[in-house]
């Protein structure tokens, strides 16, 4: 059975939230690709729409949008997802994962694209109402 850690980004406030999903909620992500939109019910955000923006597997290999399927592939990278060069012109061969979510993915990054007040929907208000 699939189990994922989902990192939810709220672009309006700049905050991120983490949720563990398994069972039926995790199955909603299987077979989806980077850029796909799904309902926020899978992570506890009913009434919201989220978009898959990336992820990584259990060894930390990042998912790349330009690699098809779920396979691993070695790419010679000059920068971008998977490699940040330390000097100008540096290139490095890096192993990355494809853009499709499968059982080997451990973390999925998503961004809220429709809906508001994500912190309240997830029950993570900072308690400003309690201050006097």
């Amino acid at each position: 059975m699939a189990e994922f850690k989902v990192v939810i980004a709220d672009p309006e406030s700049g905050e991120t939230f983490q949720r563990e999903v398994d069972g039926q909620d995790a199955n909603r992500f299987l077979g989806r690709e980077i850029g796909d939109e799904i309902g926020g019910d899978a992570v506890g955000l009913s009434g919201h729409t989220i978009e898959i923006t990336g992820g990584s597997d259990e060894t930390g290999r990042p998912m790349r949008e330009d690699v098809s399927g779920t396979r691993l592939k070695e790419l010679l990278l000059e920068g971008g997802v998977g490699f940040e060069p330390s000097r100008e012109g540096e290139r490095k061969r890096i192993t990355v994962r494809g853009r499709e979510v499968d059982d080997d993915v451990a973390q999925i990054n998503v961004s809220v694209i429709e809906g508001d007040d994500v912190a309240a929907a997830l029950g993570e208000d900072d308690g400003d109402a309690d201050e006097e």
Side-chain angles (χ1 to χ4, degrees), residues 5 29 40 65 113:
K5 179 183 290 187
F29 289 100
E65 194 168 12
I113 57 172

Side-chain angles (χ1 to χ4, degrees), residues 4-10 16-19 29 33-36 38 43 50-57 61-63 81 99 101 105-112:
F4 303 114
K5 179 183 290 187
V6 180
V7 179
I8 307 157
D10 182 6
T16 59
F17 308 94
Q18 292 186 7
R19 289 287 179 266
F29 289 100
E33 295 183 347
I34 294 176
D36 286 353
I38 60 174
V43 293
I50 57 177
E51 177 184 12
I52 299 174
T53 57
S56 60
D57 64 8
R61 292 185 204 107
M63 296 172 67
V81 176
R99 65 177 167 250
V101 176
V105 173
Q107 175 181 312
I108 301 172
N109 303 329
V110 300
S111 180
V112 176

